[in-house]
């Protein structure tokens, strides 16, 4: 027996209490900095970050240490700071206390013994509280904190202290004082033989600062169009709803989502009274279990914890037997067998081999077998499982190859972390398990463990189809007015109760009412591929709110983007929005081959705009260059037919073939000069759908119910975020409309106005530009006011000149279409998306049929998840040196680029 093991057995209660008294001085700080306090309506700490500082010793803690930590976090040394701490179990309204003087630090210390995580808030430059706070950059008098009201709890096991790898310096200071007592017990006070790692240092600069920055999310730029110049009409505002923490346990603070607080490194439950010593076992005779599964799970836990090769060798209906199959101290495996006669070394040792049967095989059970054994049997009367035989002694060596440490076992330890961080790398999972269990974990085992944990969190892809009807009923119950249409494939067997899934359409009742309140007849249509094991597309219909932000209306999961699936989706959409066959509604899409005939079939009178970006991509295949891109953009942005025709003639002079190619696309689909004013929008790009698809990217590879919940939760979060923006906005118009109107006001100063005595005005500008404005019909010859609903610069000049003619019609804001007003914006977002209970709370559907997943033939090769890029995109990347900045491959045979000599077939050179 080693000296370390001897001390672990011999330390009495008094010695362990001394260790615990020193260890309980350590605590953690969650430091909130870089922000300020706001009333919203309760006090909140906004626009800041938070970091964790672990292993702080209250005996050495002072305000000076906080200054050092903030300097290491990047704050200037001469910054004026005010510190406050939050009293545990209180809110920011009545629980904040000053933390600046030594007396206040003493009061702060009284909370540390019962609360191992303290929240500290920092105000910079100025404090918002009326009472006087201590400014930390001044001279600091560090006084020794007198410890009061110490509470001595029952100490932990020495096993816990060793596993933590921590030794408080107070333990070392009291070694000499304990030597006499330990001498009386016959123990040598040589704690260096105990395997305790000293991780605590006296200097606070060695404190482990765990940085968990809660930074602001950057705007997703995936929808920005780099091919076109800046144009306000195509800007789509989206208020970020962060879905990286989907299914993460979060708390809402006055409508603003914050990340769930990380677990501190110091576990308050580590000194639980039920903690056992290393020499003790979690099993005992007479111990009862509800099922044998509980015992087998506990055996695996014990094997991994103690690093013993404990296995269940018998698993029957009424009994379970587990033994330890580790190697003995002489290096021989416990279940190894020797020859028919004892070896000479055995005879020399005086060992008598015993015949245990089986063709004369012999072994020595006293040397080659570990006595650890556990027998569990079922009580026939009570039905519970009881331990009848138990030997907890080990005579084997510790091992790092544990049979019970399987991917299934590790996946159960990873479930909670996957909920918080589903994208954790496999390498990080592997390193985490190796540090946690001190066992080798292969990369493949870590990958399988993560896959099982993800499957457990998200649910099985096949099983969720069977729960789809239950989910639909729960969704409609929680959100009144919601429309859900579920379509299945007809069965060839009329007696079968199994129906294969085909399509599902969802239009939440709140979004339906909100879109009708907008009053803007415009919807973008688009589809995106699903990335799970079953094929399909997610179709979306997205509108624009009064601030020109996206407003999703409906979504569906279909088998593919075909004419039939789009027709079905548009019919469902028309029923929800009360659109008739002869409706003049406006749609914008990317000219997908299935949607064009579907729109002509369902809404033959609707205005269908084509996304200009996709027209440009098709044009690049034959006519590439900046001259064609600029010509296309001028043609699309002109608002009058006369200017459009002049630009077409200019393109014909440049390239008659390009003019002929573009003439085949009717201009009413892509040019503002031919748009009607019914949509109250001049958008040329389908950015609203592109933005939504980018937000739903992380949900498209999940099972069907999890995917639908991902979409619903995003919509719910987004409404909350927009309401926060509305509360911070002022004025009569929305921020987007205010910005556009201000730009028109700047241009209006350059124009001269002449009145005809009635409702018509002549507005003249430079270079002979002259337009007629009709104030009765609120139209201008340039048609911008008619298309956008916002007065153009000519109309603004007329409104300003009314005072000259003794007719004060008010400010230009009064002539903006009501769709852009703040009142309309607030009305739209009064309709909320409501949350759902968990699956365990759902009432099972009474529909007798069962939904099965659709047919799917798995293709050869690795599944594709990246978007398929067009040939023009691939060629442009090749010219630029590859998508990752890598130079294009050069063939060693023909010296041409784009291929190597192995695949050389005389190709033409790329670039």
């Amino acid at each position: 027996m080693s000296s370390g093991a001897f001390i672990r057995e011999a330390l009495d209660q008094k010695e362990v209490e001394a260790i615990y008294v020193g260890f309980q001085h350590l605590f953690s700080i969650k430091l909130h900095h870089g922000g300020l306090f706001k009333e919203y309506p309760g006090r909140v700490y906004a626009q800041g970050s938070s970091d964790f500082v672990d292993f702080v010793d209250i005996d050495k803690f002072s305000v000076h240490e906080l200054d050092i930590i903030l300097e290491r976090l990047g704050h200037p040394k001469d910054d004026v700071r005010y510190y406050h701490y939050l009293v545990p179990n209180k809110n920011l309204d009545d629980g904040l206390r000053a933390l600046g003087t030594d007396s206040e630090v003493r009061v702060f210390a009284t909370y540390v013994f019962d609360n191992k995580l303290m929240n500290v808030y920092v105000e910079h430059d100025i404090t918002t509280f009326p009472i006087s706070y201590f400014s930390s950059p001044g001279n600091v008098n560090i006084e020794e904190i007198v410890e009061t009201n110490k509470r001595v709890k029952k100490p932990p096991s020495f096993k816990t202290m060793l596993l933590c790898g921590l030794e408080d310096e107070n333990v070392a200071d009291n070694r000499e004082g304990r030597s006499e007592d330990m001498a009386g017990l016959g123990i040598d006070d040589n704690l260096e033989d105990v395997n305790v790692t000293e991780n605590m240092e006296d200097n606070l600069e060695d404190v482990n600062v765990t940085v968990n920055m809660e930074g602001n999310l950057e705007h997703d730029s995936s929808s920005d169009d780099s091919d076109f110049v800046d144009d306000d009409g195509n800007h789509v505002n989206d208020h970020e709803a962060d879905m990286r923490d989907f299914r993460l346990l979060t708390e809402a603070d006055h409508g603003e989502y914050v990340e769930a607080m990380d677990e501190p490194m110091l576990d308050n439950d580590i000194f639980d009274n039920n903690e056992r010593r290393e020499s003790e076992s979690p099993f005992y005779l007479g111990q009862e279990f509800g099922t044998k599964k509980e015992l087998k799970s506990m055996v695996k836990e014990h094997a991994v914890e103690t690093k013993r090769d404990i296995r269940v060798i018998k698993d029957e209906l009424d009994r379970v037997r587990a033994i330890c199959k580790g190697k003995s101290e002489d290096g021989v495996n416990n279940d190894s067998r020797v020859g028919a006669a004892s070896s000479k070394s055995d005879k020399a040792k005086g060992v008598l081999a015993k015949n245990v049967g089986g063709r004369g095989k012999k072994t020595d059970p006293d040397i080659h077998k570990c006595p650890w054994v556990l027998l569990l049997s079922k009580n026939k009367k009570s039905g519970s499982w009881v331990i009848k035989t138990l030997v907890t002694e080990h005579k084997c060596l510790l091992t790092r190859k544990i049979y019970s440490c399987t991917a299934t076992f590790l996946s159960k330890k990873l479930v909670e972390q996957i909920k918080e961080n589903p994208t954790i790398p496999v390498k990080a999972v592997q390193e985490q398990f190796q540090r946690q269990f001190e066992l080798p974990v292969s990369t493949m085992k870590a990958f399988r463990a993560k896959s099982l944990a993800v499957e457990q969190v998200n649910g099985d892809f096949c099983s969720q189809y069977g729960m789809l009807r239950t989910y639909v009923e729960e969704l409609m119950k929680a959100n009144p007015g919601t429309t859900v249409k579920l379509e299945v494939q007809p069965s060839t067997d009329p007696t079968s109760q199994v129906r294969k899934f085909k399509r599902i359409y969802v239009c939440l009742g709140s979004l339906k009412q909100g879109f009708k309140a907008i009053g803007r007849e415009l919807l973008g249509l688009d589809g995106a591929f699903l990335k799970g094991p079953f094929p399909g597309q997610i179709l979306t219909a997205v509108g624009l709110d009064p601030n020109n932000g996206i407003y999703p209306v409906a979504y569906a999961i279909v088998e593919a983007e075909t004419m039939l699936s789009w027709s079905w989706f548009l019919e469902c959409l028309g029923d929800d929005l009360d659109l008739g066959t002869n409706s003049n509604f406006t749609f914008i899409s990317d000219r997908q081959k299935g949607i064009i005939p579907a729109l002509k079939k369902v809404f033959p009178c609707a205005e269908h705009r084509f996304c200009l970006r996709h027209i440009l991509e098709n044009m690049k295949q034959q006519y590439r260059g900046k001259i064609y891109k600029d010509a296309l953009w001028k043609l699309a942005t002109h608002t009058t037919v006369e200017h459009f025709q002049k630009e077409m003639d200019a393109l014909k002079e440049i390239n008659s073939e390009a003019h002929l190619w573009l003439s085949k696309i009717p201009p009413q689909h892509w040019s503002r000069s031919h748009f009607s004013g019914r949509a109250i929008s001049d958008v040329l790009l389908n950015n609203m759908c592109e933005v939504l698809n980018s937000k739903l990217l992380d949900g498209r590879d999940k099972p069907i119910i999890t995917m639908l919940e991902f979409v619903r939760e995003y919509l719910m979060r987004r409404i909350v975020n927009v309401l926060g923006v509305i509360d911070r906005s002022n004025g009569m118009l929305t921020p987007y409309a205010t910005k556009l109107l201000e730009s028109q006001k700047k241009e209006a100063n350059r124009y001269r106005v002449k009145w005809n005595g009635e409702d018509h005005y002549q507005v003249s500008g430079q270079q002979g530009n002259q337009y007629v404005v009709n104030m009765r019909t609120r139209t201008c010859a340039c048609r911008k006011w008619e298309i956008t609903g916002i007065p153009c610069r000519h109309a603004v000049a007329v409104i300003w000149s009314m005072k000259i003619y003794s007719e004060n019609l008010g400010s230009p804001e009064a002539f903006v279409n009501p769709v852009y007003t703040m009142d309309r914006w607030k009305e739209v977002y009064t309709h909320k998306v409501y949350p759902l209970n968990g699956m365990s709370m759902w009432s099972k559907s009474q529909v007798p049929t069962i939904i099965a997943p659709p047919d799917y033939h798995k293709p050869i090769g690795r599944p594709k998840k990246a978007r398929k890029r067009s040939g023009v995109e691939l060629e442009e990347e090749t010219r630029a040196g590859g998508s990752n900045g890598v130079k294009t491959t050069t063939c060693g045979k023909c010296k041409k680029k784009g291929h190597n000599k192995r695949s050389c077939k005389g190709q033409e050179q790329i670039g």
Side-chain angles (χ1 to χ4, degrees), residues 163-343:
L163 291 180
C164 289
L166 300 174
E167 180 185 6
D168 194 274
E169 65 171 358
N170 292 337
V171 179
D173 295 339
N174 294 329
R175 288 179 180 176
E176 297 181 1
R178 297 198 307 265
S179 59
E180 297 180 0
D181 296 333
M182 297 180 69
L185 296 173
I187 304 173
D188 184 13
D189 187 17
N190 185 9
L191 289 181
E192 294 180 356
D193 294 333
V194 183
N195 185 20
V196 179
T197 305
E198 297 182 3
N199 287 333
M200 299 302 299
E201 298 292 340
D202 294 338
N203 194 340
L204 190 62
E205 293 181 356
D206 294 332
V207 173
N208 181 19
V209 180
T210 304
V211 179
N212 291 322
M213 304 300 294
E214 299 176 358
N216 295 329
L217 295 173
E218 296 182 356
H219 176 70
D220 187 276
S221 60
S222 60
S223 64
D224 294 339
D225 184 17
S226 59
D227 288 323
F228 299 112
V229 297
D230 189 17
D231 184 75
D232 293 333
N234 293 285
H235 286 180
V236 176
N237 300 324
D238 180 46
H239 304 287
E240 193 74 48
D242 186 12
M243 295 298 292
R244 292 180 298 178
D245 58 349
F246 178 58
R247 291 195 167 211
L248 167 65
L249 180 62
T250 59
E251 57 182 5
D253 189 357
H254 304 289
E256 295 184 3
Y257 281 87
V258 296
E259 294 185 3
M261 183 171 59
D262 296 337
E263 288 292 332
M265 295 185 67
L266 286 179
D267 191 355
N268 292 330
D269 296 331
I270 198 170
F271 297 122
D272 186 70
N273 292 335
N274 296 325
E275 184 75 23
R276 294 176 176 269
R277 294 172 180 251
E278 184 178 336
S279 60
E280 297 182 10
S281 172
F283 308 102
Y284 56 88
L285 286 174
Q287 188 176 2
E288 296 186 2
F289 298 89
T291 60
K292 61 179 179 180
K293 185 178 180 180
E294 297 178 12
L295 171 81
K296 292 192 290 184
S297 177
M298 198 169 177
V299 167
K300 292 181 180 179
E301 292 274 357
H302 184 62
V304 174
E305 181 181 356
T306 59
K307 298 179 179 58
R308 307 282 184 176
D309 191 13
I310 301 175
R311 306 186 189 183
V312 176
I313 62 171
K314 183 175 292 185
D315 186 3
E316 300 178 352
L317 294 177
D318 57 349
R319 59 179 178 175
V320 176
R321 184 180 181 86
I323 65 171
C324 178
K325 303 185 71 173
K327 293 184 179 181
S328 60
E329 296 182 358
D330 60 354
V332 182
N333 191 283
N334 294 335
D335 59 351
S336 61
R337 298 291 185 263
V338 295
S342 302
S343 62

Side-chain angles (χ1 to χ4, degrees), residues 864-875:
K864 304 293 188 298
K865 287 195 174 184
R867 179 180 64 88
K868 292 183 178 180
R869 290 168 292 184
S870 64
V872 176
E873 290 179 300
L874 293 175
E875 186 171 347

Side-chain angles (χ1 to χ4, degrees), residues 790-807:
I790 297 176
C792 60
R793 50 195 171 185
H794 315 112
V796 172
V798 170
I799 296 171
W800 281 347
S801 66
M802 290 297 98
K803 291 183 179 180
I804 302 176
Y805 304 106
S806 302
E807 291 188 38

